[in-house]
């Protein structure tokens, strides 16, 4: 696992958790052969066919999806949860699984609804979501965010029965969970993890929007391999669909016209909280691999390097003088003592391949490392100071709480009055070696190395980029900076090469950030 970081600020987009649910069955089209299936087990088997036609509708397919719905609906379930939530101090809303922020009737100033907890700041809330049976003995797939922290889970079947479910396992990093009800003859469906849907293929969703139960919607695959940002789902290339999904649909599957489950929906893009035709589903291949392990009672462990990465943008590439078309994951920070540091990775390295697989950006490296087992050797080809080299790193185990594992300790003692600072000016920045006084003034950990910014010319390029005193220049032009002379030498080398700016690795309060500092134009 790697920490990812975005380096360009943009408008925040709300992703409202929601999903659609479905199941599968055997469909016989008029004038066409049915997809082969083990009907007696209620499980679909993908039909054989040409690679490009795996998801094409059979000749003579009807204009209605009614037959498909009748086959798949029995495996779709409604999930009701009772969860202990914190009661807000200043507003009448609760964050309820499957519904998001919900106003509390009669409590405009932060009062609660439901049963009060032992303390005055918690209450019991009810939430709803969707799920689907994947075995005859009662295993059910849903989203992690539907059942996370649930004190009680109830499942309503399509035949009206209501059963108590128990949590088997969950994986927050893929937003998947498995629960189980007791029984042995439940209708169920299977994941289609071999044939992949294409953009434009039909999809159908059945779920529990707003608690309404068995609701079907249809649409197409709008896009594939979507990255929806953030740390919630770093290991998932989402399928984007336009079948209408809303709150309460979380955890249900999306299926194709053969009733094969091709994804588990977990999020929608929505400025309003309702469906606007942009939904995201976890692909069946990822969902099956994860839920199979959860069903076996296995702990989900992932490989870990302990580095912060970003994409190698054209601006960074040009500043480093790398050939046009060079792609890779750009390392901006290395956690002390982590496997990456022990294996020789450095800030400024550009990883271009892992175990022979090309790496085009940070998402690919994150998922490739997360897919390996802890202890496996990662053979990484990288660019360092413009030269290609290969190193091997033994993957560690991703910490359960990665944020806590990487929190830096600080000295909370009040700093003494700072001594006078003597700095040197470089491209609009006044910089100085890190001294004890500067570490105290700017609360810099002992592990930080570089030159610290003590002043910024407001009208310079550095001022325009909002450099601030206390920032530390760790690298320049891909080389470590230990003194002001190192920074000057890097700047002169880049100017001699007639490049428009120097790429700096800058430590900020939120971590290392690569910044291209353009050179002032000559008059």
């Amino acid at each position: 696992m790697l920490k990812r970081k975005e380096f360009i600020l943009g408008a925040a987009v709300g992703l409202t958790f929601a999903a659609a649910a479905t199941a599968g069955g055997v469909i016989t089209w008029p004038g066409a052969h049915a997809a082969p299936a083990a009907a007696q087990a209620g499980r679909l088997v993908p039909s054989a066919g040409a690679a490009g036609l795996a998801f094409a509708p059979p000749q003579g397919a009807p204009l209605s999806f009614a037959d498909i719905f009748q086959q798949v609906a029995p495996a779709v379930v409604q999930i009701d949860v009772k969860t202990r939530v914190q009661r807000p101090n200043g507003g009448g809303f609760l964050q309820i699984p499957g519904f998001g922020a919900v106003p509390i009737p009669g409590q405009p100033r932060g009062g609660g609804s439901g049963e009060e907890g032992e303390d005055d700041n918690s209450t019991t809330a009810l939430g709803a979501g969707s799920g689907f049976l994947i075995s005859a003995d009662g295993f059910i797939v849903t989203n992690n965010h539907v059942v996370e922290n649930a004190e009680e889970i109830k499942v309503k079947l399509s035949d009206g029965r209501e059963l108590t479910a128990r949590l088997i396992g969950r994986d927050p990093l893929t937003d998947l969970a498995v629960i189980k009800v007791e029984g042995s003859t439940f209708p169920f469906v299977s994941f289609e993890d071999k044939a992949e849907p294409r953009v434009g293929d039909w999809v159908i969703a059945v779920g529990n929007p707003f608690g309404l139960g068995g609701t079907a919607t249809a649409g197409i695959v709008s896009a594939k391999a979507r990255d929806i940002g953030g740390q919630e789902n770093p290991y998932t290339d989402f399928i984007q669909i336009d079948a209408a999904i809303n709150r309460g649909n979380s955890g249900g599957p999306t299926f194709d016209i053969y009733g094969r489950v091709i994804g588990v929906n977990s999020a929608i893009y929505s400025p309003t909280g309702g469906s606007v035709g942009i939904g995201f589903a976890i692909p069946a291949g990822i969902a099956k691999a994860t839920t199979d392990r959860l069903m076996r009672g296995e702990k989900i462990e992932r490989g870990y390097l302990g580095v912060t990465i970003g994409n190698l943008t054209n601006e960074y590439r040009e500043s480093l003088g790398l050939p046009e078309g060079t792609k890779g994951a750009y390392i901006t920070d290395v956690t002390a003592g982590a496997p990456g540091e022990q294996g020789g990775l450095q800030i400024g390295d550009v990883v271009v391949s892992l175990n022979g697989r090309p790496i085009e950006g940070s998402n690919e490296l994150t998922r490739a490392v997360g897919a390996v087992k802890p202890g496996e050797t990662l053979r990484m080809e990288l660019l360092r100071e413009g030269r290609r080299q290969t190193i091997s790193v033994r993957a560690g185990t991703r910490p359960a709480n990665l944020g806590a594992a990487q929190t830096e300790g600080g000295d909370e003692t009040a700093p003494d009055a700072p001594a006078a600072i003597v700095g040197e000016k470089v491209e609009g920045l006044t910089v100085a070696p890190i001294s004890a006084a500067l570490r105290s003034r700017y609360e810099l950990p002992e592990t930080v190395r570089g030159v610290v910014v003590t002043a910024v010319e407001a009208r310079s390029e550095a001022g325009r980029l909002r450099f601030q005193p206390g920032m530390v220049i760790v690298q320049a032009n891909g080389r470590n900076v230990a003194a002001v002379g190192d920074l000057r030498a890097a700047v002169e080398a880049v100017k001699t090469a007639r490049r428009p700016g120097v790429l700096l690795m800058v430590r900020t309060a939120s971590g290392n950030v690569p910044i291209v500092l353009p050179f002032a134009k000559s008059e």
Side-chain angles (χ1 to χ4, degrees):
M1 160 62 185
L2 304 89
K3 296 184 294 176
R4 287 187 304 168
K5 190 164 207 172
E6 297 296 334
F7 304 121
I8 301 177
L9 298 178
V13 175
L15 287 175
T16 306
F17 283 109
T22 88
V26 182
I27 310 300
T28 301
W29 299 107
H33 295 291
Q40 66 277 13
R43 178 174 57 86
L44 288 170
V45 179
S47 62
L53 300 177
F55 286 86
Q59 185 177 1
L63 298 178
S64 171
F65 296 109
D67 289 340
I68 303 175
F69 177 78
Q70 290 177 359
Q71 291 287 344
V72 303
V76 181
V77 302
Q78 175 179 332
I79 300 174
D80 296 317
V81 298
K82 182 183 293 185
T83 308
R84 180 69 58 184
V85 297
Q86 289 299 113
R87 183 164 41 204
N89 293 322
F93 291 87
L94 290 176
Q95 293 292 331
I96 299 178
F99 286 98
V102 177
I104 308 170
Q107 300 290 341
R109 296 189 177 182
S113 65
E115 303 171 10
E116 291 188 1
E118 294 181 359
D119 58 35
D120 293 332
N121 200 38
S122 69
T123 186
T124 298
L126 301 179
S130 303
F132 57 103
L133 288 147
I134 55 172
S135 72
D137 56 350
F139 283 99
I140 296 170
V141 172
T142 186
N143 279 147
N144 171 71
H145 73 264
V146 171
V147 297
E148 186 177 16
N149 301 322
E151 294 185 345
E152 182 180 288
I153 306 172
K154 295 287 187 180
V155 171
K156 292 181 180 178
L157 305 180
S158 61
D159 60 11
R161 285 182 292 168
E162 183 173 329
L163 304 173
T164 299
R166 59 187 175 91
L167 178 66
I168 299 300
R170 59 189 186 88
D171 179 34
L173 293 178
T174 54
D175 195 25
L176 290 167
V178 174
I179 61 177
K180 191 178 188 303
V181 293
E182 296 304 317
S184 59
T185 58
F186 296 107
F188 69 96
V189 290
S190 298
F191 288 109
E192 174 49 65
D193 61 336
K194 298 295 189 294
E196 291 190 5
R198 303 165 301 168
V199 173
D201 284 332
W202 282 108
V203 292
I204 309 168
V206 180
N208 179 37
F210 302 107
L212 295 173
T215 300
T217 56
I220 63 170
V221 174
S222 302
K224 295 174 63 179
R226 288 297 200 203
D227 172 31
I228 61 177
Q231 290 293 318
E232 291 79 10
N233 302 94
Y235 300 107
T236 304
D237 283 320
F238 287 89
I239 299 171
Q240 180 183 327
I241 64 172
D242 70 349
I245 54 179
N246 285 286
R247 296 176 181 177
N249 286 133
S250 296
T254 292
F255 58 97
D256 64 9
I257 60 170
Y258 294 106
R260 304 176 298 190
V261 178
I262 62 169
V264 182
N265 285 13
S266 66
I268 64 172
Y269 169 86
S270 176
T272 63
S275 173
V276 293
I278 302 177
F280 300 98
I282 304 164
I286 294 174
K288 185 179 188 304
T290 301
T291 54
D292 281 352
R293 294 174 64 182
L294 293 176
M295 290 170 64
R296 293 193 297 265
E298 296 180 8
K299 181 180 179 181
I300 305 297
E301 292 186 336
R302 294 181 171 88
Y304 172 70
L305 282 179
V307 298
T308 304
I309 58 175
N311 292 322
L312 182 67
T313 66
N314 287 334
E315 187 180 31
Y316 301 158
R317 178 186 57 76
E318 291 173 0
S319 298
L320 291 172
L322 296 175
E324 186 175 353
T326 302
K327 296 181 179 180
Y330 185 48
I331 296 179
T332 64
D333 203 0
V334 180
T335 302
E341 183 192 54
Q342 295 174 0
L345 289 176
Q346 299 178 11
I347 295 172
D349 286 345
V350 178
V351 180
V352 296
S353 75
L354 187 149
N355 293 340
R357 169 186 172 183
I359 298 297
E360 295 194 356
S362 60
N363 290 334
E364 283 189 315
L365 183 57
T366 295
R367 290 159 190 163
V369 173
V372 305
K373 295 180 180 179
E376 289 187 5
T377 298
L378 302 175
R379 188 172 181 273
M380 308 176 74
E381 188 175 4
L382 51 87
L383 298 172
R384 179 179 294 170
E385 297 182 9
R387 294 186 295 274
R388 191 174 293 258
Q389 57 183 281
T390 301
I391 65 173
S392 294
V393 180
R394 186 176 296 276
T397 302
R398 185 189 190 279
N401 188 341
L402 189 58
Q406 293 165 337
T407 299
E408 295 179 329
D411 184 2
E412 298 181 359
T413 305
D416 297 328
I421 298 171
V422 178
E424 301 180 43
K425 290 187 177 182
V426 181
E427 296 297 319
L429 297 170
T430 300
V431 293
I434 300 178
S435 63
L438 289 175
R439 285 194 189 278
S440 178
R441 171 181 285 192
Y442 296 118
E443 299 180 352
L444 302 176
E446 289 295 330
T447 55
V448 174
R449 297 289 183 270
V451 293
V452 64
V453 176
T454 59
V456 183
E457 294 179 10
R459 296 180 180 275
S460 67
E461 292 291 343
R464 182 182 62 81
L465 291 172
R466 298 185 179 181
F467 273 81
Q468 299 292 328
M471 290 181 173
V472 178
I473 298 175
V474 178
Q475 275 192 353
N477 195 27
R479 296 177 179 269
N480 292 336
V481 171
V484 177
D486 296 335
L487 176 59
R488 287 191 182 280
V491 168
E492 290 304 317
V494 174
K495 286 184 175 180
T496 300
R498 298 184 179 277
R499 298 201 290 267
V502 60
L503 178 59
L504 305 177
M505 188 68 71
V506 183
R507 182 193 183 274
T508 69
S510 57
N512 287 353
V513 177
I515 301 175
V516 175
L517 177 60
F519 299 132
K521 296 180 179 180
S522 301
E523 296 294 337

